[in-house]
Amino acid sequence: MAFKRTTVTAALPYANGPVHIGHLAGVYVPADIYARYLRLKGRDVVFIGGSDEHGVPVTIRAKKEGITVQDVVDRYHGIIKKSFEDFGISFDIYSRTTSKIHHKFAADFFRKLYDEGKLVEKVEEQYCDAVTGEFLTDRNIVGTCPRCGADGAYGDQCEKCGATLSPSELINPTNKNNPGNPLELRATKNWYLPLGDHQEWLKEWILEGHKEWRSNVYGQCKSWLDMDLQPRAMTRDLDWGIPVPVEGAEGKVLYVWFDAPIGYISNTKELCESNPEKWGTWQQWWQDEETRLVHFIGKDNIVFHCLIFPTMMKAHGGYIMPDNVPSNEFLNLEGNKISTSKNYAVWLNEYLEELPNRQDELRYVLTANAPETKDNDFTWADFQARCNNELVAVYGNFVNRALQLTQKYYEGVVPVPGELTDTDKATLAEFATTKERVEQLLEGFKFREAQKEAMNLARIGNKYIADEEPWKVIKTDPERVKTVIYVSLQLTANLAIAFEPFLPFSSAKLRQMLNMEQFEWEQLGKTDLLPSGKLLAKPSLLFSKIEDDVIKFQMDKLEATIQANAEANYEAAPIKETVAFEDFQKMDIRVGTVLECEAVPKMKKLLKFKLDDGTPQGRTIVSGIHEWYEPEQLVGKQVLFIANLAPRQFKNGLVSEGMILSATDWDGTVGVTTVEHPVKGGSQIS
């Protein structure tokens, strides 16, 4: 059907840390591209976002830092909101679930379901800490995933495979924060949403009515709907969140996955009430059948947005259902999984500080590598290559040539063209058909391909001006150059429109150089966007190269994080089998002074030592520690060695008369063992 307006939502990020590139690629960049495109089309659209501030992660963060939960959410809500603004994510409102308007709206929503008997009150056993007696939320319980076998899966989902879980499904569940404390099941009362009562409707609505959804979304919904849907608790035993508005529910709050999606609606209400003349009523965005609802989410949110939230709205009554839920897969980083808890990520707020004014470069690469159909990988080498070889060498190069030559030959004034050649006409014709191609891809949520089409326009323009060589032709046929520059400028103006949804900062900069105040999507493909005689502004580079030192800095940051995580998670190797004291006494460990040390030819790992071991002849020992030491570093050191080890002969005839003792650190590096104060060579260790 033809819709009058579109409500676009982007998943609410947890306010327990900044936003990283995985969030951007999975949700916020595609959502922003779509919202910007709809605005360019002149369609009625609202783009809703906000912080999810009632999840368990914020309580964990607060406890870890020794501050209040409100302090945590205030801090990260501010960081996230500013990062989105600076990055150009064009929300019409970015609010929060701790707002008064949201608390009341979510509580009223729950109470209506309760009053109408749409919820089931049940007393069931749930996990609690046997020592503290505290009931544990799904997020505080970890164990082995029953689907993929990964350790560290949460009680609500496995971050490795994305499966939605319940704590009872985990293998060997433990308390995440107190792993030493045993868990036990205790009875507690909560209110459940009976998903099974809505199963047949869900099957018809999704499996029959939305076969056009992405295969990952449709497939995950089908796998759930092929099973019997079980009731899902909509309340939790917690002290942080929206209190359950029912007598006898003290100490209980609304389940975060109940209250968070309602935040889309309450944030819309907040926006509409702040400016009703512009936005009208919130009901028209959520309850009018002529409104299209589109949720942008990551794949770990599919079940909640396609099954649970729609069931909530259906049970409540009066709400429209999502028309599409374009969910992306996961983005990895340098071949490894992005992890908030391990600080292994490219954080948006840090990126904006370390690579200032390069928002579009990141937007471009994240879209080019968007994990639309499968998990994808972000690497800094690819980032640099795409920026330098595509944005700079293709798009930027064409624009710079066209504008600089206009400035040089015509003092910045768009020239009057002569008769168009077949080449001119063919080039303009390719641009004229672009609008339809890009439009079809954007309407189908294929943002990666849509941006690729836009970049193909830049390739066409770059090839055109390179083939026509106006800087040469100006000497022999200046009239022809006017036509070439005129055509090039029309292509440049088209690029400013085509890239607007994807690269808003550079598009705005380009339009400024073109003195192109008015623009809209319908103009894309036209060949008279800049009339002859129009004065253009002074040009400047649209993009600049990403230098090697910038990439090295980012790679060094990631490596430092990996090393810090490895050190923090280091566990000593298991103690070997117990030996009798008499067996230990058989080892003769002594101190030797290194008199000489040299590398062993053709054996890269080995060093040959000459030790003063207290005997006239001394001792030769060969040790495989060349990877960590140069020979000259060890001369003069006193090292510990086993003196009564049977000699070992190498293939080259070299004989080692003992073993130098060394310690392997957490990171695999090796250090020889030594003594604190100098002693005589041959001194025994006891």
Side-chain angles (χ1 to χ4, degrees):
M1 64 173 291
F3 294 98
K4 280 188 176 180
R5 65 190 70 82
T6 305
T7 300
V8 177
T9 73
L12 308 184
Y14 278 130
N16 74 319
V19 172
H20 57 63
I21 59 169
H23 299 130
L24 295 172
V27 178
Y28 304 107
V29 170
D32 186 62
I33 291 171
Y34 190 63
R36 286 177 177 274
Y37 161 70
L38 293 180
R39 293 189 193 109
L40 267 180
K41 289 276 291 181
R43 293 186 189 169
D44 208 3
V45 58
V46 66
F47 184 19
I48 305 296
S51 298
D52 177 2
E53 300 174 317
H54 291 138
V56 173
V58 295
T59 65
I60 295 172
R61 171 76 71 171
K63 187 174 182 180
K64 182 179 178 181
E65 296 187 17
I67 57 178
T68 69
V69 183
Q70 192 64 52
D71 288 338
V72 171
V73 298
D74 285 347
R75 178 207 305 167
Y76 288 113
H77 171 72
I79 290 173
I80 294 169
K81 184 177 182 181
K82 185 176 189 305
S83 295
F84 280 147
E85 290 170 353
D86 292 346
F87 194 60
I89 305 299
S90 57
F91 290 117
D92 291 306
I93 184 172
Y94 187 84
S95 192
R96 54 198 307 189
T97 58
T98 55
S99 70
K100 290 181 180 179
I101 193 170
H102 174 70
H103 270 235
K104 184 177 187 315
F105 198 99
D108 289 347
F109 195 110
F110 181 92
R111 184 70 201 205
K112 184 175 188 292
L113 296 182
Y114 174 84
D115 289 341
E116 295 178 357
K118 303 291 180 62
L119 300 173
V120 178
E121 183 180 306
K122 295 171 64 176
V123 176
E124 284 199 344
E125 291 187 326
Q126 290 188 4
Y127 282 113
C128 70
D129 189 304
V131 177
T132 66
E134 171 193 13
F135 279 100
L136 299 175
T137 61
D138 298 348
R139 204 71 181 175
N140 272 332
I141 302 172
V142 294
T144 302
C145 175
R147 312 284 170 83
C148 71
D151 292 327
Y154 291 107
D156 57 357
Q157 67 185 208
C158 172
E159 291 195 341
K160 183 172 180 62
C161 69
T164 302
L165 305 169
S166 63
S168 60
E169 294 179 271
L170 291 178
I171 301 168
N172 300 322
T174 60
N175 184 342
K176 181 179 184 292
N177 299 316
N178 294 298
N181 293 3
L183 300 186
E184 67 179 32
L185 290 167
R186 291 183 187 174
T188 183
K189 179 173 69 175
N190 277 295
W191 286 267
Y192 290 71
L193 183 66
L195 292 173
D197 293 353
H198 301 269
Q199 185 156 347
E200 291 309 311
W201 165 74
L202 287 167
K203 281 184 176 180
E204 183 179 350
W205 171 57
I206 297 175
L207 302 186
E208 297 302 322
H210 285 290
K211 293 182 179 180
E212 81 282 3
W213 284 4
R214 284 183 179 172
S215 59
N216 61 333
V217 179
Y218 189 88
Q220 193 173 139
C221 290
K222 187 176 187 306
S223 68
W224 274 68
L225 291 169
D226 285 345
M227 302 182 292
D228 289 334
L229 295 181
Q230 300 302 310
R232 189 90 179 187
M234 295 292 106
T235 60
R236 287 290 191 269
D237 292 270
L238 271 177
D239 57 2
W240 174 254
I242 300 173
V244 176
V246 175
E247 289 183 15
E250 292 76 18
K252 299 179 191 295
V253 299
L254 301 183
Y255 178 34
V256 64
W257 272 112
F258 180 90
D259 103 74
I262 292 173
Y264 299 138
I265 311 171
S266 64
N267 290 350
T268 309
K269 185 174 188 289
E270 182 180 337
L271 175 68
C272 291
E273 290 180 351
S274 69
N275 191 348
E277 290 186 9
K278 179 177 181 180
W279 298 108
T281 66
W282 69 267
Q283 287 92 342
Q284 75 181 30
W285 298 102
W286 285 93
Q287 296 185 332
D288 188 334
E289 290 294 334
E290 293 185 303
T291 298
R292 186 186 196 198
L293 174 60
V294 181
H295 293 310
F296 283 87
I297 58 170
K299 73 175 178 182
D300 50 341
N301 291 348
I302 290 173
V303 169
F304 297 103
H305 283 77
C306 296
L307 300 180
I308 297 176
F309 187 37
T311 299
M312 289 163 51
M313 293 193 292
K314 181 75 170 177
H316 184 286
Y319 284 93
I320 58 174
M321 294 297 116
D323 186 62
N324 211 312
V325 187
S327 166
N328 276 359
E329 299 291 291
F330 290 146
L331 184 74
N332 296 320
L333 174 58
E334 298 289 347
N336 299 313
K337 185 181 182 300
I338 293 174
S339 173
T340 299
S341 60
K342 295 178 181 177
N343 194 36
Y344 186 78
V346 176
W347 304 104
L348 180 55
N349 59 318
E350 293 182 1
Y351 174 91
L352 293 169
E353 292 174 4
E354 294 161 0
L355 287 88
N357 302 315
R358 290 192 181 273
Q359 298 96 322
D360 279 354
E361 283 86 338
L362 184 56
R363 289 176 66 110
Y364 179 79
V365 175
L366 291 178
T367 303
N369 285 337
E372 290 179 353
T373 55
K374 63 179 181 179
D375 290 356
N376 220 334
D377 196 33
F378 177 94
T379 70
W380 281 108
D382 179 68
F383 173 83
Q384 182 182 31
R386 286 189 180 276
C387 290
N388 293 350
N389 300 336
E390 296 172 26
L391 290 178
V392 174
V394 179
Y395 183 15
N397 183 62
F398 167 63
V399 167
N400 189 56
R401 279 178 163 180
L403 296 183
Q404 291 291 356
L405 291 176
T406 304
Q407 191 72 30
K408 181 177 181 180
Y409 299 152
Y410 313 114
E411 296 182 337
V413 175
V414 178
V416 176
E419 187 175 343
L420 299 182
T421 65
D422 289 343
T423 301
D424 301 333
K425 292 175 182 176
T427 302
L428 291 171
E430 279 195 85
F431 264 67
T433 60
T434 297
K435 176 175 168 290
E436 185 179 345
R437 293 199 305 272
V438 177
E439 202 167 274
Q440 287 176 346
L441 291 167
L442 288 174
E443 295 283 1
F445 306 104
K446 296 178 180 179
F447 304 109
R448 188 173 58 200
E449 290 301 312
Q451 180 179 263
K452 190 175 179 181
E453 281 291 337
M455 183 52 74
N456 283 339
L457 290 180
R459 295 184 196 282
I460 293 167
N462 203 44
K463 183 179 185 303
Y464 171 77
I465 202 167
D467 289 347
E468 295 301 315
E469 298 181 311
W471 47 90
K472 290 184 179 178
V473 178
I474 191 72
K475 300 172 184 176
T476 58
D477 190 353
E479 288 302 310
R480 171 62 188 153
V481 172
K482 291 179 181 179
T483 304
V484 172
I485 297 303
Y486 177 85
V487 170
S488 297
L489 290 175
Q490 303 310 320
L491 303 185
T492 300
N494 271 274
L495 286 170
I497 299 173
F499 272 112
E500 163 63 24
F502 308 97
L503 311 178
F505 294 92
S506 55
S507 288
K509 182 178 179 181
L510 180 52
R511 290 194 307 275
Q512 190 175 28
M513 289 189 281
L514 296 173
N515 279 330
M516 191 175 167
E517 298 86 4
Q518 301 296 323
F519 68 100
E520 57 186 29
W521 187 259
E522 292 308 312
Q523 293 175 290
L524 185 60
K526 292 187 176 180
T527 57
D528 56 354
L529 296 177
L530 299 177
S532 298
K534 182 181 181 68
L535 178 64
L536 307 183
K538 189 174 180 181
S540 60
L541 287 177
L542 204 55
F543 302 100
S544 59
K545 286 184 68 176
I546 304 286
E547 301 296 344
D548 291 346
D549 61 328
V550 173
I551 302 304
K552 183 178 184 305
F553 176 82
Q554 296 298 333
M555 291 298 294
D556 288 347
K557 268 183 68 176
L558 290 178
E559 182 58 32
T561 298
I562 292 171
Q563 293 300 318
N565 286 329
E567 184 174 12
N569 295 324
Y570 170 74
E571 291 184 10
I575 302 296
K576 293 182 179 179
E577 202 176 311
T578 301
V579 297
F581 185 69
E582 292 75 18
D583 290 334
F584 168 73
Q585 283 186 308
K586 293 177 183 178
M587 283 201 303
D588 190 354
I589 304 175
R590 301 196 176 213
V591 178
T593 304
V594 180
L595 301 175
E596 301 172 13
C597 183
E598 61 183 2
V600 178
K602 298 183 180 180
M603 303 185 80
K604 293 191 294 185
K605 294 183 179 181
L606 300 184
L607 292 177
K608 185 178 78 170
F609 291 81
K610 182 71 173 178
L611 299 183
D612 169 13
D613 64 348
T615 64
Q617 69 274 18
R619 179 181 298 257
T620 298
I621 293 181
V622 178
S623 180
I625 59 172
H626 196 180
E627 182 180 349
W628 296 279
Y629 289 99
E630 291 300 321
E632 57 270 19
Q633 292 177 272
L634 295 166
V635 175
K637 279 188 178 292
Q638 290 198 306
V639 297
L640 306 186
F641 68 95
I642 300 176
N644 61 339
L645 196 65
R648 180 187 176 194
Q649 184 166 350
F650 292 83
K651 290 181 180 179
N652 60 1
L654 202 60
V655 176
S656 181
E657 302 170 304
M659 176 185 287
I660 291 175
L661 300 181
S662 58
T664 303
D665 203 354
W666 63 271
D667 60 355
T669 57
V670 169
V672 296
T673 56
T674 184
V675 290
E676 186 176 4
H677 302 295
V679 296
K680 288 287 187 182
S683 297
Q684 282 190 302
I685 301 297
S686 58

